[in-house]
Amino acid sequence: LLKVLSRIDSILQSPRAPPLIFRPSKGPVQNYIKENGQGCGFEHLPYTIEMWADQLIALKDLHRSLRKLSLELLPWNTKDPQDNSESIRVEDLQLIVDAILEELEHKEKNSQTQSLQTLSAIVSHFQKLFDVNSLNGVYPRMNEVYTKLGEMTNTMRNLHELLELDSSAPPTVVVDTVGKLCDIINKNVTEQVQQLLGTQDIHSIINKLEEHESFFPPFQALIQDLLCLLEISNVDDILPAVQNLK
């Protein structure tokens, strides 16, 4: 037993021992033990071994957590010869961490490549939609599209207010409302023309217009001749001038 304890103590005292393991105190209690001859120099071993046991248990827990993380990030990598083993080594944990880091770096490179491909596809799609022949023309056309969009937005907002429509009404509703107003206006104009010409038939309106077209040119020429003969410039003065001639 003393040989075993001496062996353990030599391991604890070796340069390869972890720097954070339990070390015997150098305080008055330890000096008292040495002076009185009590103890055999191995009093610190139970505490160190107990701490090592706790660390080994924690090592297993850490291995279990890393395995869960590995299965989440690397579901295809299920091979783990130490998964059910009682002895978990730091090298096993390091292999899992290295595999996870390698996969993360690979994903980051792929995401950057995909981002460049996505941006290139977006630019190409914009060029096709807005007929841009070169990359230098993309920014000017973007500005133009932005300006036109602002003008259209302002126009639609003004139409919504003028037509007393809800701001959420789609453009199709605005177009339909404007079309109805145009129909009402055209109908009113037609009714006014019908009332003016005294007819309700479109063919009669055409006949009336043809009659006026054939009548007004000779009548206008006659009026112009009378104004010249009577030496007057106002149509209202024709009748008084003719009466004076009598």
Side-chain angles (χ1 to χ4, degrees), residues 5-210:
L5 294 177
S6 299
R7 177 60 177 166
I8 295 175
D9 190 60
S10 64
I11 293 174
L12 295 178
Q13 300 297 332
S14 92
R16 295 181 59 189
L20 297 180
I21 65 175
F22 181 85
R23 295 294 184 183
S25 174
K26 296 181 180 180
V29 176
Q30 185 68 18
N31 294 333
Y32 174 80
I33 294 175
K34 289 183 178 180
E35 291 174 358
N36 291 275
Q38 297 177 0
C40 54
F42 304 113
E43 293 82 4
H44 62 284
L45 293 182
Y47 302 101
T48 304
I49 294 174
E50 182 179 355
M51 186 199 71
W52 280 0
D54 293 338
Q55 292 298 313
L56 288 175
I57 295 175
L59 196 65
K60 293 180 180 179
D61 293 337
L62 178 60
H63 180 264
R64 190 179 302 108
S65 299
L66 286 176
R67 281 293 300 153
K68 290 181 180 179
L69 179 61
S70 177
L71 290 175
E72 288 291 334
L73 298 177
L74 313 172
W76 57 88
N77 186 13
T78 57
K79 183 179 180 181
D80 186 9
Q82 297 294 334
D83 193 21
N84 296 323
S85 176
E86 292 295 331
S87 60
I88 302 299
R89 301 178 302 173
V90 175
E91 291 83 351
D92 301 328
L93 305 182
Q94 188 63 47
L95 287 174
I96 297 176
V97 173
D98 290 342
I100 293 174
L101 291 176
E102 183 179 356
E103 178 63 19
L104 291 177
E105 292 177 357
H106 181 68
K107 284 185 177 180
E108 183 178 359
K109 291 180 180 179
N110 287 342
S111 64
Q112 292 177 355
T113 304
Q114 291 176 359
S115 297
L116 292 175
Q117 293 176 350
T118 302
L119 290 175
S120 177
I122 292 174
V123 173
S124 299
H125 189 60
F126 181 88
Q127 289 181 269
K128 291 179 181 179
L129 287 178
F130 298 100
D131 193 22
V132 182
N133 297 325
S134 65
L135 291 177
N136 293 331
V138 170
Y139 281 110
R141 186 57 57 88
M142 282 185 175
N143 293 332
E144 181 182 352
V145 171
Y146 178 79
T147 302
K148 295 295 184 182
L149 178 61
E151 293 176 354
M152 185 189 71
T153 301
N154 292 333
T155 302
M156 293 299 295
R157 182 167 52 251
N158 293 332
L159 286 173
H160 278 90
E161 293 177 356
L162 291 174
L163 300 175
E164 297 181 354
L165 295 174
D166 187 79
S167 58
S168 62
T172 53
V173 175
V174 176
V175 173
D176 291 340
T177 305
V178 173
K180 292 177 181 178
L181 287 176
C182 291
D183 292 339
I184 293 173
I185 292 173
N186 292 333
K187 183 178 179 180
N188 291 337
V189 170
T190 303
E191 291 177 353
Q192 292 176 2
V193 172
Q194 290 175 349
Q195 293 176 0
L196 178 64
L197 299 178
T199 179
Q200 301 294 325
D201 186 8
I202 187 65
H203 296 290
S204 300
I205 294 175
I206 294 174
N207 294 333
K208 291 283 186 180
L209 291 175
E210 290 178 350

Side-chain angles (χ1 to χ4, degrees), residues 208-236:
K208 291 283 186 180
L209 291 175
E210 290 178 350
E211 291 177 359
H212 283 80
E213 185 178 358
S214 62
F215 170 76
F216 274 103
F219 178 76
Q220 184 178 10
L222 174 62
I223 295 299
Q224 291 295 331
D225 292 340
L226 288 174
L227 292 175
C228 292
L229 289 174
L230 300 173
E231 296 180 355
I232 56 178
S233 58
N234 194 349
V235 177
D236 294 335

